[in-house]
Amino acid sequence: MALDDDRTDMAGEELSLDELFERLERMPVPEGYKVEIVEGNIFMSPQRDTHWEIIAVLFEQLRVTYPRNRIKSDVRIDFPGHLNGFASDVAALSKEAEKDTKGRWRFEDVEFIGEVLSKGTAANDYGPKKAAYATANVPIYLVVDPYVGRCHLYTEPKDGEYHSHLTVDFGTDIDLTTAGLELTLKTDEFPRD
């Protein structure tokens, strides 16, 4: 398809989420960048060292409760809402998790999401992504903010909103047993940016 044909297609009807990702796969996305589609908008975020360190700490702690094959990082999962294809920093899946007919993990099987803020996309984590996770009934949503050294824990999703919100500073343990996960997250190893 010629570039002009591609522009004509894009100016016409809206592309599906799969079509958007197919086009992204053909683009020269710089190495070290994560790509997500949030409400039909494409976002690219550089993966920083601090970002990765926090993801690694979360992964190691989640391994106490989840086998390795049920913890995903930067893997596309489509969530409710308009054109939401997220690559969450950390997603933990239920024992019953299974892929859909397209070979992707289903949002219905997600039990935990952890997002590490990036300055350019923080509004997504607190806005449309939080709303999509709540609509999907993800029981535990953790936002880690390395810029201020704080974590925000959202639980009790109902009617597209989280009804419980806890904020803790780095260094404070987060008891997830009240949200149904037999785990206490330690935040003292989270680095700051």
Side-chain angles (χ1 to χ4, degrees):
M1 174 182 293
L3 183 59
D4 289 335
D5 294 338
D6 199 33
R7 285 186 185 147
T8 303
D9 285 350
M10 291 177 72
E13 65 183 61
E14 184 174 66
L15 299 174
S16 72
L17 196 54
D18 287 340
E19 290 168 328
L20 284 170
F21 273 107
E22 285 171 16
R23 289 177 187 228
L24 281 170
E25 287 174 7
R26 295 192 307 254
M27 289 177 59
V29 175
E31 189 170 327
Y33 276 73
K34 171 175 119 171
V35 178
E36 293 186 296
I37 299 176
V38 180
E39 295 184 328
N41 297 301
I42 298 167
F43 292 89
M44 288 191 279
S45 305
Q47 296 290 54
R48 302 171 330 279
D49 188 53
T50 300
H51 199 97
W52 168 243
E53 288 298 322
I54 293 170
I55 291 169
V57 171
L58 285 172
F59 178 85
E60 289 171 356
Q61 291 186 58
L62 286 167
R63 285 283 289 124
V64 170
T65 304
Y66 293 93
R68 185 182 65 244
N69 66 348
R70 288 188 21 232
I71 304 172
K72 306 300 171 188
S73 180
D74 293 341
V75 172
R76 175 184 167 189
I77 300 174
D78 297 346
F79 282 89
H82 179 69
L83 298 177
N84 285 326
F86 304 156
S88 307
D89 291 323
V90 180
L93 306 172
S94 70
K95 289 178 190 173
E96 300 79 25
E98 57 184 47
K99 291 184 177 181
D100 64 17
T101 56
K102 294 180 181 180
R104 291 191 208 99
W105 295 107
R106 301 168 344 121
F107 72 83
E108 294 92 343
D109 296 325
V110 177
E111 295 181 340
F112 173 94
I113 292 284
E115 294 284 11
V116 182
L117 285 186
S118 294
K119 285 184 180 177
T121 58
N124 289 338
D125 294 322
Y126 289 121
K129 288 175 82 174
K130 184 176 97 174
Y133 295 145
T135 300
N137 290 315
V138 173
I140 301 168
Y141 175 41
L142 179 71
V143 178
V144 181
D145 186 340
Y147 304 106
V148 296
R150 241 179 234 125
C151 297
H152 298 274
L153 177 68
Y154 299 93
T155 58
E156 299 178 27
K158 184 179 178 187
D159 300 326
E161 292 182 25
Y162 282 103
H163 292 272
S164 179
H165 176 207
L166 172 70
T167 301
V168 301
D169 291 329
F170 283 10
T172 304
D173 293 351
I174 303 173
D175 182 3
L176 299 177
T177 57
T178 58
L181 187 59
E182 293 300 317
L183 179 67
T184 298
L185 278 177
K186 307 229 176 270
T187 65
D188 55 337
E189 290 185 37
F190 289 171
R192 291 188 62 160
D193 235 354

